[in-house]
Amino acid sequence: METRVWHYDGRSGERRMPVLVPSADERRFTLQGDGADPGPYAFADLEPHGTSHHERAFGLKGRPGWRITFLEFPPSEIAVQLPKPARYGAWIDRFGLWRSAGVLAILAVLVVAFTLKLPPLLARLVPQSVEQRMGRLIVGNLGTYACASPQGDAALKALGARLRQDGDVTIRVVHAPMINAVAFPGGQVVLFDGLIQNAKSPDEVAGVLAHELGHVAHRDGMEALIRQYGLQLLLGGFDGNVSGYGNALLNARYSRKAEAGADGYAIGRLQAANISPLPTAALFARLAEQDAQPGNAAVMMTYLSSHPLSTSREQAFRASAKPGAAYKPALSPEQWQALRAMCGDNPATAP
């Protein structure tokens, strides 16, 4: 009996849809098609990962992030081989409900206290490898909307190089009309095409991108998730709520201190790249003006929703401009055109 499943391999963050095929002895199975690692895998190595009326998900022992999800209840020949969900949870069943509840209560008090008072410290205690895997999984959900073209990719790479993009940072453009940019955990930066189409010059995009690189350097995205999810994020893992964490960061409002820190980082990168900060200040002013105009609620999400502006922020960029400096554009006209054309025709995002 064959059945299709959603599959993440825990490495690329890409969602695949192979066919699950049981072996002749029905103790093992392979994943065939759609570029999946075929295996074979043992049914006994599967671990229940979550259930609902619509799907059943399983992880794989020793493979963090690996997951298969049945979109419908699996056929009986396969269902009998699948491990049953634990009554309370693996370690709770082992130690007993009431003893575990007492330990959890103590841990909850401690973690909540730390989460409320020391989110920046907790964010920096999360291993980089864990944060990077989280970022890849979150961005993997946006994979079908990612834009790519040889010229556009080259232009994006050139812009990152001008801003001294770190080697462990990945920058993507996503086909969506929202005027926004987001720094996900683990050095995953997403620029939405709506922002690129709304920008008047590559210098404006460079300023926004440099700001997001500042959030990456300061690990602000991880801090924002810890502030919102706290105990669940630290103790419950994150594989089962990837979409929720991504949406939380799309709607996150960073603290004034975090925004100022990212702005300072951006100004430093613009100065080092010899890119004028004045276009970024002009972009901030224009977005604030557009946000105040009736009818703009049709834009799904604006930069202001997650990066609230203030006069002081705009003034900081204006004040950082050096009088008489011979600034160079962030991209050549050809590179700028290639970046704007990465997502193809998209009338919803036309300026």
Side-chain angles (χ1 to χ4, degrees), residues 145-156:
Y145 301 97
C147 303
S149 72
Q151 296 82 4
D153 292 340
L156 192 62

Side-chain angles (χ1 to χ4, degrees), residues 218-230:
H218 302 153
R219 303 182 76 177
D220 292 331
M222 200 70 228
E223 178 183 340
L225 288 179
I226 290 177
R227 284 187 184 277
Q228 180 162 347
Y229 290 97

Side-chain angles (χ1 to χ4, degrees), residues 4-275:
R4 288 196 174 274
V5 295
W6 288 121
H7 173 55
Y8 290 93
D9 61 15
R11 294 188 294 267
S12 67
E14 182 177 354
R15 187 172 68 171
R16 306 178 190 277
M17 196 174 183
V19 174
L20 188 151
V21 181
S23 63
D25 62 5
E26 297 185 344
R27 295 182 179 181
R28 307 178 73 83
F29 65 91
T30 58
L31 298 176
Q32 300 181 6
D34 202 18
D37 181 357
Y41 307 97
F43 280 109
D45 289 337
L46 294 179
E47 299 175 325
H49 204 280
T51 60
S52 72
H53 294 297
H54 305 288
E55 65 179 30
R56 299 189 70 187
F58 297 87
L60 184 68
K61 294 177 182 178
R63 289 283 297 273
W66 191 100
R67 187 166 82 251
I68 58 171
T69 301
F70 295 89
L71 302 184
E72 299 179 352
F73 197 86
S76 58
E77 295 85 348
I78 295 176
V80 297
Q81 299 296 332
L82 297 174
K84 300 299 186 292
R87 184 180 180 186
Y88 300 111
W91 69 274
I92 295 180
D93 287 337
R94 186 179 305 120
F95 294 107
L97 175 61
W98 294 111
R99 182 182 299 175
S100 300
V103 172
L104 281 175
I106 295 173
L107 289 176
V109 172
L110 294 175
V111 173
V112 169
F114 272 92
T115 301
L116 291 175
K117 296 183 179 181
L118 298 174
L121 175 60
L122 292 178
R124 284 151 183 78
L125 292 177
V126 176
Q128 285 282 0
S129 59
V130 173
E131 185 175 344
Q132 289 169 355
R133 183 161 62 91
M134 175 185 287
R136 287 194 297 268
L137 289 172
I138 293 175
V139 173
N141 283 346
L142 301 174
T144 56
Y145 301 97
C147 303
S149 72
Q151 296 82 4
D153 292 340
L156 192 62
K157 183 177 180 180
L159 183 58
R162 282 288 302 274
L163 297 173
R164 298 182 181 178
Q165 170 191 354
D166 293 335
D168 57 353
V169 173
T170 301
I171 305 171
R172 308 167 192 260
V173 175
V174 168
H175 192 300
M178 56 190 71
I179 304 173
N180 207 354
V182 183
F184 292 113
Q188 300 288 335
V189 177
V190 170
L191 299 175
F192 292 98
D193 189 53
L195 171 69
I196 296 174
Q197 301 302 326
N198 189 275
K200 302 298 183 184
S201 73
D203 293 359
E204 293 185 354
V205 176
V208 173
L209 176 56
H211 179 93
E212 298 305 324
L213 292 176
H215 282 311
V216 170
H218 302 153
R219 303 182 76 177
D220 292 331
M222 200 70 228
E223 178 183 340
L225 288 179
I226 290 177
R227 284 187 184 277
Q228 180 162 347
Y229 290 97
L231 181 64
Q232 177 183 346
L233 180 68
L234 295 177
L235 298 183
F238 53 82
D239 290 3
N241 193 25
V242 171
S243 297
Y245 297 145
N247 290 332
L249 286 171
L250 284 173
N251 293 281
R253 293 177 68 90
Y254 290 117
S255 67
R256 183 177 300 179
K257 181 179 179 181
E259 290 296 327
D263 282 346
Y265 186 95
I267 289 171
R269 287 298 172 105
L270 293 177
Q271 290 175 340
N274 199 29
I275 299 173

